[in-house]
């Protein structure tokens, strides 16, 4: 894990854009977590609007993710969409959490659980970590296991949190 962090640190500091930084940390996360179903980053553009600048996984997973968000966000206001994207749950750079931890207190939890079930993600677990710059760039990097529940160790949490911290620092320097 330490060699991965060293390698990604070189890539991140030589990156010339926010997109390159997010790609570098997501690629490192994908290498660290074997057999993931999808990994990526989502970025807050404005209240209630999110984009996926980086997403690794098959076309089937990408389609399911688009379907999940279309169903989930239909009829929600900007604050509810942000809540579904865990905007308030992860607030500090490098902060991490799993599905169980982050969805536990959401006001729209039952709606999220039903949407996950309809697209076949009911048994999914993920590990998310917050990227946040001093200038207001906010994103989350994640690894997701859809087929079979995955438990995440403290080392897993530390590695993803460190990648998010590194991205937060680099994005702060580049913007």
């Amino acid at each position: 894990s330490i060699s991965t962090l060293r390698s990604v640190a070189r890539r991140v500091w030589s990156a010339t854009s926010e997109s390159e930084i997010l790609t570098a940390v997501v690629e490192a996360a994908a290498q660290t977590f074997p057999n993931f179903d999808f990994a990526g980053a989502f970025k807050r553009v404005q209240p209630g609007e999110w984009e996926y600048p980086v997403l690794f996984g098959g076309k089937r997973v990408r389609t399911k993710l688009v379907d999940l968000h279309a169903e989930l966000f239909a009829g929600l206001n900007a604050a509810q969409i942000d809540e579904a994207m865990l905007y308030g749950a992860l607030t500090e750079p490098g902060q991490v959490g799993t599905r169980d931890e982050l969805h536990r207190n959401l006001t729209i939890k039952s709606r999220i659980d039903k949407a996950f079930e309809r697209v076949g993600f009911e048994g999914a677990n993920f590990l998310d970590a917050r990227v946040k710059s001093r200038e207001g760039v906010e994103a989350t990097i994640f690894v997701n296991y859809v087929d079979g529940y995955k438990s995440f160790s403290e080392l897993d949490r530390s590695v993803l949190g460190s990648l998010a911290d590194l991205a937060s620092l680099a994005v702060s320097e580049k913007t």
Side-chain angles (χ1 to χ4, degrees), residues 35-109:
N35 305 316
F36 68 93
D37 290 301
F38 58 99
F42 48 87
K43 180 184 171 218
R44 189 171 192 241
V45 178
Q46 63 183 15
E49 185 179 336
W50 295 79
E51 67 181 14
Y52 284 85
V54 183
L55 184 62
F56 297 121
K59 182 176 170 79
R60 177 184 70 87
V61 171
R62 183 179 298 270
T63 300
K64 282 186 167 193
L65 195 56
V66 168
D67 292 346
L68 171 68
H69 285 165
E71 177 180 334
L72 182 59
F73 297 161
L76 294 182
N77 64 37
Q80 290 169 317
I81 292 170
D82 286 347
E83 180 184 17
M85 297 300 289
L86 304 172
Y87 180 65
L90 296 172
T91 57
E92 297 302 317
Q95 189 177 11
V96 298
T98 63
R99 179 181 177 190
D100 291 340
E101 296 163 351
L102 297 172
H103 283 188
R104 161 177 59 222
N105 295 321
L106 298 180
T107 62
I108 58 173
K109 181 185 182 329

Side-chain angles (χ1 to χ4, degrees), residues 122-145:
E122 64 274 2
N125 195 19
F126 53 75
L127 187 63
D128 285 9
R130 173 64 72 209
V131 174
K132 185 176 181 180
S133 77
R134 292 185 298 262
E135 292 73 25
V137 172
E138 297 191 75
T140 300
I141 59 173
F142 61 88
V143 291
N144 198 314
Y145 291 82

